[in-house]
Amino acid sequence: MPAGGWRPQGRLVAGGWAPCLALALGWALGWALGAAPPHRCRPDTALLPPPLRRLAGAALLRAAVPRLRGGWSPCQLYRYRGTGTAPPNGTGPCTQGWHYALPAAGLRSNLVTQWDLVCHSRWKVPLEQTTHLLGWTLGSITAGLACDRFGRRTAFVASLVLAVPLGLCVALAADFTMVLVARLLFGAALAGAFLSLYVARLELCDTPHRLGVTIVAGFFWIAGELLLPGLAVLCRDWRVLQGAVTMILALLAAVCWCPALLLESPRWLLATRQLERARKTLQALAEGSGSEHGSCRQQSLCAELQALTDGSAQPRYHSVCEILGTRVIWKNSVILGFAAFIGSGIRHCFTRNLAPHLPHFFSSYFALVGTEATACLFVFLTAERFGRRAVLLLCTVLTCICSLLLLALTQYLLEFIVLTLSVIGITTSHAVTMLSIFFASEVLPTVVRGAGLGLIVGASFVGKAAAPITAIPNSRGFFLHHIVFASFTILSILSIMLLPESQGHSLPQSLEDGERRHRSPLLHQRPREDHMPLLSAPNSQHNYSNLTTSTTSMKGSTVTPSAT
């Protein structure tokens, strides 16, 4: 009996797709908070000789701040020796703070301008980004464990409820250290809501609509990212923007408290032997399916589950550690987790090449969001037609080719070719990450799907953290970062061929079901009819039942040489 095999309609659509808008706002919020606006040192008249201290306006800037090719120096002031009008004999760091060209990302105030995270303190911006991504990693793992123990809906609502006070803590932070801690916990809560919603939405779909429903949810996520710049322009201040996103999450938590909007996964309830709850959930699904056979389906479900609930079976939960005792599930999880890590980590190697061409925040932001939309559309058009494994392999190969070409030939290629390869690499790497996560959700069994998928999603966020980590020591490790991830991509190509194909298959329920998902040929071929039977019955080409009788009669009728 298929559990949860209905198309999502009405309230289920709102409960499975609409929350992606609010979660995407919380995710993209970090880009606006950490955007560094153009800046320069404020002139310090105490460093000037007495004859120059009476200057003002542009003349004071020329006397106090060095002029560079791209504008005023962002981190240096002139140093003078003596009290005359002699030219400066050196430069030194800023002493009176900085002047910022606002707004930045639509905001007149953000983390950078609040605590002057520039020049010698600019490493604190990637530190905050790394901390936030660490929160998403820990939240994915923790929420995955909670999904398999307490249920998908419970983990989702609990994560939303926790995100509200944590978001307010970020908005009311008194110093940068408090921002780091609050952003880490806020990211963990958002990750928990994202993961539990992802699993619940997938398990409520039937086989033909799993990919389509997930892709539509991805477009809702992209729509939320596109709404952030407009919301930033309206709020103007980073604390107000953080509070506005938190209020949206609070409204979402209040709405999702209604059980009818997002039901508990019947697959998980049946897999963990919670038959009474599964019967009620399936009844609600049958009543809200709106199909002509809804009443008949409801009656059959009630009859089957009523017979199952007559026993006294206790719920049985599984631990993620049980995956270590498997062979096929463990192999698939490691390969897909590695692919998600590579797809997220190598993206920084391509986005770095876009920076000179897209110097403004909005241009680079919308370009990256556009590549995400292109990747979603590509996966939607190809993964259902050619299979998950073939498309994942294709995207990984394209990512590897773009990476190797840029690594070896960047200084010899035209800027247009470098830009084209970078855009293709960003798009395909995002497709690799997205498809790896979706592929893993289809091959992992229901009893450990939450925890297993949490580890894989966490691996993807670890890959995303590679970009800010390399930026902390002033990007000195970028070349090594590119070489390592390009090499890992080659290994990922070889390992993807060991995966089974999940297209058209139902979701595995138990560990035993997951162990049966063996690798199938990459290219399906018609079986060869080389081995024809010696004797065949008239009605069956491969019937060997009369072979023994025919052989015996042939031996009896044979005349030996000694008899003649």
Side-chain angles (χ1 to χ4, degrees):
M1 179 185 61
W6 290 274
R7 304 178 186 179
Q9 298 176 359
R11 292 172 297 177
L12 295 179
V13 170
W17 288 339
C20 294
L21 290 169
L23 296 178
L25 286 173
W27 160 256
L29 188 61
W31 293 355
L33 298 185
H39 57 277
R40 60 168 174 81
C41 295
R42 288 196 180 100
D44 186 2
T45 57
L47 300 178
L48 300 176
L52 301 179
R53 294 177 183 178
R54 294 187 297 270
L55 298 177
L60 178 61
L61 284 178
R62 286 192 296 269
V65 183
R67 184 75 177 180
L68 303 179
R69 181 177 299 179
W72 301 108
S73 174
C75 301
Q76 297 292 320
L77 286 175
Y78 279 133
R79 295 296 193 268
Y80 291 84
R81 176 177 297 176
T83 58
T85 58
N89 65 343
T91 59
C94 301
T95 57
Q96 295 295 321
W98 289 263
H99 173 79
Y100 298 97
L102 299 173
L107 299 174
R108 293 194 176 276
S109 173
N110 62 6
L111 298 181
V112 176
T113 61
Q114 179 83 32
W115 287 286
D116 290 330
L117 306 182
V118 293
C119 297
H120 63 279
S121 297
R122 62 184 176 181
W123 60 272
K124 294 182 180 179
V125 176
L127 176 64
E128 184 274 330
Q129 296 171 349
T130 304
T131 304
H132 187 60
L133 290 172
L134 177 61
W136 278 79
T137 302
L138 297 177
S140 300
I141 298 174
T142 305
L145 298 173
C147 281
D148 292 337
R149 181 59 181 84
F150 304 104
R152 284 65 165 127
R153 183 182 181 276
T154 302
F156 174 67
V157 175
S159 298
L160 283 180
V161 172
L162 289 175
V164 175
L166 294 173
L168 293 177
C169 289
V170 176
L172 302 175
D175 53 32
F176 184 71
T177 303
M178 185 175 178
V179 169
L180 288 180
V181 177
R183 288 276 293 165
L184 184 146
L185 299 177
F186 182 64
L190 292 178
F194 167 79
L195 180 73
S196 52
L197 178 65
Y198 192 101
V199 177
R201 182 178 57 238
L202 180 86
E203 293 179 347
L204 286 171
C205 297
D206 54 357
T207 301
H209 300 92
R210 286 199 302 258
L211 179 63
V213 168
T214 303
I215 294 299
V216 172
F219 281 116
F220 270 80
W221 181 276
I222 293 172
E225 291 179 333
L226 293 176
L227 289 176
L228 179 73
L231 188 60
V233 171
L234 292 176
C235 294
R236 311 298 287 176
D237 184 83
W238 75 272
R239 296 184 187 273
V240 178
L241 178 61
Q242 176 69 49
V245 173
T246 304
M247 290 302 102
I248 295 175
L249 292 173
L251 178 62
L252 177 62
V255 173
C256 290
W257 194 268
C258 176
L261 190 63
L262 183 65
L263 297 174
E264 183 56 83
S265 168
R267 294 183 184 274
W268 176 75
L269 293 174
L270 289 175
T272 55
R273 301 180 183 179
Q274 303 181 62
L275 303 180
E276 181 61 28
R277 292 181 61 189
R279 182 179 64 82
K280 295 179 181 179
T281 303
L282 290 172
Q283 278 184 341
L285 284 172
E287 292 172 356
S289 62
S291 62
E292 298 179 357
H293 305 286
S295 59
C296 297
R297 180 182 295 173
Q298 178 182 356
Q299 293 176 1
S300 63
L301 288 174
C302 290
E304 294 180 24
L305 285 177
Q306 187 62 40
L308 292 174
T309 54
D310 290 340
S312 58
Q314 296 295 325
R316 181 182 178 185
Y317 305 103
H318 294 262
S319 171
V320 67
C321 297
E322 298 182 30
I323 297 180
L324 300 177
T326 63
R327 185 176 62 87
V328 177
I329 299 174
W330 170 250
K331 178 200 67 176
N332 296 338
S333 301
V334 171
I335 293 175
L336 291 171
F338 185 65
F341 169 76
I342 296 303
S344 299
I346 202 172
R347 197 172 309 158
H348 175 61
C349 304
F350 305 116
T351 57
R352 184 183 174 91
N353 296 323
L354 297 182
H357 304 277
L358 302 172
H360 301 291
F361 172 81
F362 286 120
S363 58
S364 61
Y365 181 83
F366 287 120
L368 293 177
V369 175
T371 57
E372 291 184 16
T374 304
C376 286
L377 184 61
F378 176 78
V379 171
F380 176 72
L381 295 177
T382 57
E384 196 65 43
R385 180 180 179 85
F386 302 105
R388 283 58 158 150
R389 182 177 55 173
V391 176
L392 179 60
L393 181 62
L394 173 64
C395 293
T396 309
V397 170
L398 291 176
T399 303
C400 182
I401 292 175
C402 294
S403 176
L404 293 176
L405 288 177
L406 292 174
L407 185 63
L409 303 174
T410 297
Q411 56 184 341
Y412 306 107
L413 297 175
L414 298 175
E415 289 188 4
F416 173 76
I417 298 178
V418 172
L419 186 62
T420 302
L421 290 175
S422 299
V423 172
I424 295 175
I426 294 172
T427 305
T428 54
S429 62
H430 183 78
V432 168
T433 302
M434 179 175 56
L435 194 53
S436 297
I437 295 174
F438 177 73
F439 202 165
S441 66
E442 289 190 319
V443 299
L444 286 170
T446 301
V447 292
V448 291
R449 181 171 293 120
L453 194 62
L455 292 173
I456 294 174
V457 173
S460 71
F461 287 117
V462 172
K464 291 179 188 293
I469 288 175
T470 56
I472 291 177
N474 298 325
S475 301
R476 296 176 182 173
F478 171 74
F479 185 72
L480 179 61
H481 169 268
H482 199 163
I483 292 179
V484 170
F485 275 92
S487 304
F488 283 170
T489 307
I490 299 175
L491 296 178
S492 180
I493 293 174
L494 301 176
S495 61
I496 287 174
M497 299 180 184
L498 302 176
L499 294 173
E501 180 55 63
S502 61
Q503 178 191 5
H505 297 282
S506 61
L507 297 177
Q509 291 288 93
S510 62
L511 294 174
E512 291 76 12
D513 295 338
E515 283 293 283
R516 299 190 189 102
R517 298 295 175 93
H518 296 285
R519 180 179 66 89
S520 57
L522 185 63
L523 299 177
H524 297 282
Q525 300 178 354
R526 297 181 59 185
R528 298 175 58 187
E529 296 290 344
D530 293 338
H531 306 286
M532 301 299 294
L534 297 177
L535 298 174
S536 60
N539 298 329
S540 178
Q541 184 180 2
H542 299 284
N543 188 2
Y544 292 88
S545 59
N546 297 328
L547 180 60
T548 304
T549 306
S550 301
T551 305
T552 303
S553 61
M554 290 173 61
K555 290 173 64 177
S557 60
T558 302
V559 180
T560 61
S562 59
T564 59

